Amino acid sequence: ITMLADGNGYRRDTAQRLLAERLFTEHSEEVAALLTSTVQSPATSETRLRAFGILAGMQRLPEELHLQTLRDSDPVVRNWAVRAAGDLPQLSQPIVDLVSQLRSDEHPAVRLQSAITAARQPQLPAIPILVSVLAQSQDDPLTPRIVWQNLHPLLEKQTAEFVAEVERVGAGKTGFPAAVLELLPRTADRLLSAPQPNTAAITQLLTLL
């Protein structure tokens, strides 16, 4: 555990590997408890993240600890907690609710990770999260690109939901965010090229354009 913070990269990596391996030995529960307490400790972000990564990677992340890290004061920890949710085979409702809320996190990296995770997890409301994260991106060339990569595979089957979400965002006091407006022509092009386009939803979208 101490070597997770060692100044030597080889020692850090070896410690991480050995701890992961020991989760499959007779010391499994002891190691899991040590890793959990490390994640909850005031240690450095790197040490906490390595301990968290071992538990998440070995599918030994307790739900209560996962919920704690989603609420963590460190945005790097929150980011990794959201990322871990994308790798789980099943999400509990509390985790679904927290990841959904983090679309409005104060840190842009956490918001962006919530969009990526939402596109991977069918239990999460992907379209609302993606549009919300896009709407909050200002003078940020990366977020619109990543949102588009995760959004366009969903558009053909969720056209109506996307258009409704765009209308909802545009109905706010400040009108349509620039990042949303800039994506609409590309979205319309993608939808019009679908084998069976949702003509009613596309009509709404063209009206917005």
Side-chain angles (χ1 to χ4, degrees):
I1 293 288
T2 302
M3 281 192 175
L4 290 177
D6 196 278
N8 182 293
Y10 173 77
R11 290 177 181 171
R12 290 196 305 270
D13 293 344
T14 303
Q16 188 167 345
R17 174 179 60 79
L18 291 173
L19 286 164
E21 290 173 358
R22 288 177 189 181
L23 285 173
F24 295 97
T25 69
E26 68 273 15
H27 303 293
S28 173
E29 295 306 317
E30 179 188 358
V31 173
L34 283 168
L35 290 168
T36 296
S37 64
T38 300
V39 176
Q40 295 171 325
S41 74
T44 64
S45 287
E46 183 176 356
T47 303
R48 297 179 66 209
L49 287 174
R50 283 181 175 269
F52 179 86
I54 295 168
L55 291 169
M58 297 294 107
Q59 300 292 313
R60 293 291 301 273
L61 183 63
E63 181 174 326
E64 186 55 41
L65 180 62
H66 199 174
L67 290 170
Q68 289 174 19
T69 52
L70 286 167
R71 300 187 188 100
D72 201 271
S73 60
D74 188 336
V76 179
V77 175
R78 293 199 302 276
N79 191 356
W80 276 83
V82 174
R83 182 176 179 177
D87 296 326
L88 292 175
Q90 186 77 17
L91 300 183
S92 69
Q93 192 57 48
I95 290 179
V96 168
D97 293 341
L98 266 179
V99 173
S100 297
Q101 291 171 21
L102 289 172
R103 76 182 85 172
S104 301
D105 192 89
E106 62 183 8
H107 199 283
V110 179
R111 296 198 300 267
L112 183 57
Q113 187 60 57
S114 74
I116 296 169
T117 295
R120 297 180 60 189
Q121 278 288 1
Q123 292 174 261
L124 289 164
I127 295 292
I129 291 177
L130 286 161
V131 173
S132 174
V133 171
L134 179 65
Q136 295 173 77
S137 64
Q138 297 178 355
D139 302 320
D140 172 13
L142 179 62
T143 295
R145 292 179 184 178
I146 295 179
V147 166
W148 174 248
Q149 290 171 2
N150 289 276
L151 177 65
H152 80 81
L154 308 175
L155 285 172
E156 187 174 336
K157 292 184 178 180
Q158 300 182 53
T159 306
E161 185 178 0
F162 170 75
V163 174
E165 193 62 28
V166 168
E167 286 188 315
R168 189 193 67 77
V169 168
K173 293 181 180 179
T174 57
F176 286 99
V180 174
L181 283 176
E182 289 170 7
L183 198 67
L184 290 185
R186 185 186 297 183
T187 304
D189 185 57
R190 170 69 179 82
L191 293 174
L192 288 167
S193 66
Q196 295 180 323
N198 182 330
T199 53
I202 290 174
T203 300
Q204 287 179 267
L205 182 59
L206 292 174
T207 300
L208 291 175
L209 282 168

